[in-house]
Amino acid sequence: MTEKILKCFREKFGDGGDIRCYFAPGRVNLIGEHTDYNGGHVFPCALSMGNYGVARKRDDRILRWYNMTYPEEGVREISLDELKPNDNGMWFDYQQGVIWAMQKEGIDIPGGYDMVMMADLPAGSGLSASASIEELAAVIVRDLYDLPISMIDCARFGQISENEYNGSNSGIMDQFASAMGRKDHAIFLDTSDLSYEYVPLNLKNEKIVITNSKVKHNLTENSYNSYNTRRKESEEALADLQRVIDINSLGELDEELFDKNSEYIKSDICRKRAKHAVYENQRTIRAVSALRNGDLKAFGKLMNEAHISMSRDYGASCEEVDILVEEAWKLPGVIGSRITGGGFGGCTVSIVENEHVNDFIERLGEIYRERTGRTAEFYIADAGDGAGRIDKD
Ligand code: GLA
């Protein structure tokens, strides 16, 4: 992969100088959906799929970028001093947003850089292609200019980029997973204080299979911004609850306390959204304990419950994804299956016994085609390391 990008870099920007290679992964979230902006827990892992970049410092303040995934767009050129928020959601907006966020937070970026990148991850499918692009930019500037910032800072700048530059009011899960991933581990992250633990994914007899429904979501869709609406609904529920109980986030509630006070949430819709946020957080905590105790069956059952909650209470699934999940549940060797990521389309994540993986892919693909006329794509997830500089291959 890097060889191809290096070749293109030399063609576009010339050879010589200190040319460096980078990679930033996408992520798959195993459980804990729409809990990250509600002060709850999430459990994602970084993937071995993501965005690759090759870059070299410049001695002026210009950024010159080319994305091999979108060759028709040509070389994009902009000065470090010209960056302005917008909600176009183009690949370069996510990177510009990170650089803008760093500068806004007082980080001095001394110069620009030339870069060629290439995606190895489908965009708009719930695998955090945008966070991967953001973290690619973060690690490139951090490394090229030896900036005194941590990888958690890189995740934070990525979230600021989403929220304040790109107009998506997302939480920090995706950027955190992309920046902080660890091979063969998932990250149990408490978003209320960013404390985290790496939990080994000791799956000897099972694989994590991602199924792409090919129904695209768009987190900053202007006409009807479902993601931001969900966030507002959660906030409204929290505000109602705060009139009667002393809490800072929905993540502070367990099921019992929520059920006792849920009547104070005025809108029925907001009550359902809050129920998901509270129950999903508790499910995530239980799921991680189950995994640690080697009880994969219990983990899978919680994944299934998480899907139902995401679909019925949070209203963040869609017909095609529900079909993928419900049909997966019926297939042999499936330990658990659910929607993953922001929702409204995108991917499902399933844990499938090794010996059934091939049949799972074949059968589910067929059924999905019969029922929706669409062709699903399947990937076997391989939990990988977080973003950083990589060797030239
Ligand atoms: C998107 C957001 C995340 C998170 C998930 C839902 O991926 O970027 O912050 O809220 O949706 O869990």
Side-chain angles (χ1 to χ4, degrees), residues 27 29 32-37 42 126 128 162 168-175 217 219 227 310 341-343:
R27 65 98 189 91
N29 189 22
E33 223 64 85
H34 290 275
T35 46
D36 63 346
Y37 52 83
V42 292
S128 295
E162 289 279 350
S168 161
N169 219 354
S170 68
I172 199 170
M173 165 170 74
D174 306 348
Q175 292 76 14
H217 73 166
L219 295 188
Y227 183 95
M310 178 86 165

